[in-house]
Amino acid sequence: MSDVLTVEAMSKHYGHFRALNECTMHVPKGSIYGFIGKNGAGKTTLIRLICGLQSPTCGGYSLYGVQHTKKEIAKSRRRMGAVVETPSIYLDMTAEENLKEQYRILGLPSFRDIPKRLEMVGLGDTGRKKAKNFSLGMKQRLGIAIALCGDPDFLVLDEPINGLDPQGIIEMRELILKLNREYQITVLISSHILGELSRLATHYGFIDHGHMVKEISAKDLELSCRKCMRIEVSDSRILSCVLDKMNLEYKIFSDTQADIFAEISVSKLVLALAEKDCEVLSLREHDESLESYYVNLIGGGKDE
Ligand code: ATP
């Protein structure tokens, strides 16, 4: 799978502050790439840079194999559509009028496929309703329809599910899946809402303090998550001592529960615990969620 976007040691400094710090990224063609990081981690900064809204301080990126410093980058960028921060829509216009305006800006010769485009994002029946009367989800989808004018095959969405209600989230998820599967559009989607991304993403990139901590495919993530065993015991302090002695990687998350990230001999462990009067209440294979994977990688705590 070739990469639509490659980011190479790209940095963005504001004075002494490094909003992006030698960040790398590889977005494979055809993927839904979940770009995950806490508030302030640098997601929007990277997106603004690849959209050409700002220039990197050092390092750079290639879009469809064209380096950002080359003249031809403008052509590559036409294959990319983006909704950065809030969608840029005219609130006093209908959905159709908004698209007509975008067609004019892009110099597209005919409005003929506007109804099809509105249908594509689930806004086919909004008629004379002005965008200011749309729900947040509808506004987001209109933003996506605008980004899709000119038929890009790479779509970049910055926090598209932020603030949406559950129905809006479902509609957004279905739309992204449809664009990816039916229209073969590669999607880069930034979010700090992990659970939702795990239903969509084929690849992940985890950013922290402006730096890419890890990139991994959903398949590999699933495999690495599967190695975890969840154990419930009468006293996790004793469990901790025993696991330390056995030199096993683990994470205690309550007085009685822990996850063990290694192949273990169950009988040996149960025996070692029994010798210290610690009872095993349950032991089962556990699919480590995206959330706990993220916490292990980047650390817990609230968004900064
Ligand atoms: P969020 O989810 O909150 O949007 P983010 O991961 O998108 O977070 P960025 O918006 O990229 O984060 O911001 C990264 C850091 O850079 C933040 O600490 C932010 O305050 C800082 N930053 C962004 N733009 C500027 C600017 N123009 N001047 C100074 N600092 C900035």
Side-chain angles (χ1 to χ4, degrees), residues 20 179 204 258:
L20 267 192
L179 295 175
Y204 296 98

Side-chain angles (χ1 to χ4, degrees), residues 14 17 19 38-45 159 192:
Y14 295 110
F17 181 71
K38 296 176 188 175
N39 288 126
K43 304 181 294 298
T44 305
T45 302
E159 304 265 9
H192 58 266

Side-chain angles (χ1 to χ4, degrees), residues 206-221:
F206 297 91
I207 186 173
D208 193 35
H209 292 98
H211 195 71
M212 187 63 78
V213 179
K214 175 104 181 158
E215 290 187 285
I216 187 167
S217 72
K219 263 192 203 141
D220 286 346
L221 183 101

Side-chain angles (χ1 to χ4, degrees), residues 69-99:
T69 45
K70 296 262 162 66
K71 204 167 68 223
E72 297 77 27
I73 192 70
K75 202 169 156 205
S76 291
R77 211 174 268 120
R78 278 200 287 277
R79 295 179 62 181
M80 171 180 164
V83 184
V84 186
E85 289 158 312
T86 45
S88 5
I89 56 180
Y90 297 102
L91 293 172
D92 263 329
M93 290 185 184
T94 65
E96 188 186 334
E97 287 163 353
N98 263 285
L99 286 201

Side-chain angles (χ1 to χ4, degrees), residues 14-255:
Y14 295 110
H16 292 299
F17 181 71
R18 293 169 183 215
L20 267 192
N21 188 10
E22 302 198 347
C23 190
T24 54
M25 179 186 254
H26 304 84
V27 179
K29 186 170 189 292
S31 64
I32 299 180
Y33 188 103
F35 185 27
I36 301 175
K38 296 176 188 175
N39 288 126
K43 304 181 294 298
T44 305
T45 302
L46 183 136
I47 288 175
R48 291 180 64 82
L49 291 174
I50 61 167
C51 288
L53 300 170
Q54 283 176 299
S55 301
T57 309
C58 47
Y61 61 92
S62 308
L63 207 50
Y64 294 99
V66 178
Q67 281 186 344
H68 83 280
T69 45
K70 296 262 162 66
K71 204 167 68 223
E72 297 77 27
I73 192 70
K75 202 169 156 205
S76 291
R77 211 174 268 120
R78 278 200 287 277
R79 295 179 62 181
M80 171 180 164
V83 184
V84 186
E85 289 158 312
T86 45
S88 5
I89 56 180
Y90 297 102
L91 293 172
D92 263 329
M93 290 185 184
T94 65
E96 188 186 334
E97 287 163 353
N98 263 285
L99 286 201
K100 279 186 176 164
E101 199 49 39
Q102 186 64 12
Y103 272 46
R104 281 189 201 103
I105 291 168
L106 294 177
L108 299 175
S110 155
F111 295 148
R112 213 179 324 141
D113 61 355
I114 285 184
K116 191 192 80 187
R117 205 173 291 287
L118 287 175
E119 204 65 53
M120 189 170 163
V121 299
L123 294 175
D125 57 358
T126 51
R128 301 302 311 155
K129 195 172 188 166
K130 293 201 166 150
K132 64 181 169 200
N133 299 318
F134 284 8
S135 68
L136 186 60
M138 289 165 79
K139 284 180 189 154
Q140 285 285 16
R141 281 181 283 129
L142 178 56
I144 292 178
I146 291 171
L148 290 173
C149 295
D151 291 321
D153 47 14
F154 180 34
L155 182 63
V156 177
L157 303 174
D158 187 21
E159 304 265 9
I161 49 182
N162 240 5
L164 295 188
D165 62 16
Q167 182 59 28
I169 290 178
I170 293 170
E171 286 165 358
M172 184 56 72
R173 183 201 314 153
E174 285 173 357
L175 173 59
I176 292 169
L177 285 172
K178 179 163 94 174
L179 295 175
N180 179 254
R181 290 178 186 164
E182 284 180 33
Y183 297 88
Q184 282 79 49
I185 294 176
T186 304
V187 187
L188 166 63
I189 163 172
S190 83
S191 187
H192 58 266
I193 306 175
L194 298 176
E196 192 44 46
L197 273 191
S198 67
R199 294 162 204 247
L200 285 174
T202 59
H203 293 75
Y204 296 98
F206 297 91
I207 186 173
D208 193 35
H209 292 98
H211 195 71
M212 187 63 78
V213 179
K214 175 104 181 158
E215 290 187 285
I216 187 167
S217 72
K219 263 192 203 141
D220 286 346
L221 183 101
E222 211 177 293
L223 285 176
S224 73
C225 288
R226 228 172 248 152
K227 284 189 196 119
C228 164
M229 291 292 276
R230 178 152 293 183
I231 185 165
E232 191 179 3
V233 293
S234 52
D235 188 339
S236 64
R237 280 168 308 179
I238 299 177
L239 174 69
S240 170
C241 293
V242 168
L243 291 174
D244 281 342
K245 259 200 186 146
M246 293 173 97
N247 214 7
L248 296 175
E249 196 190 332
Y250 63 93
K251 190 169 183 73
I252 303 278
F253 57 92
S254 79
D255 287 346

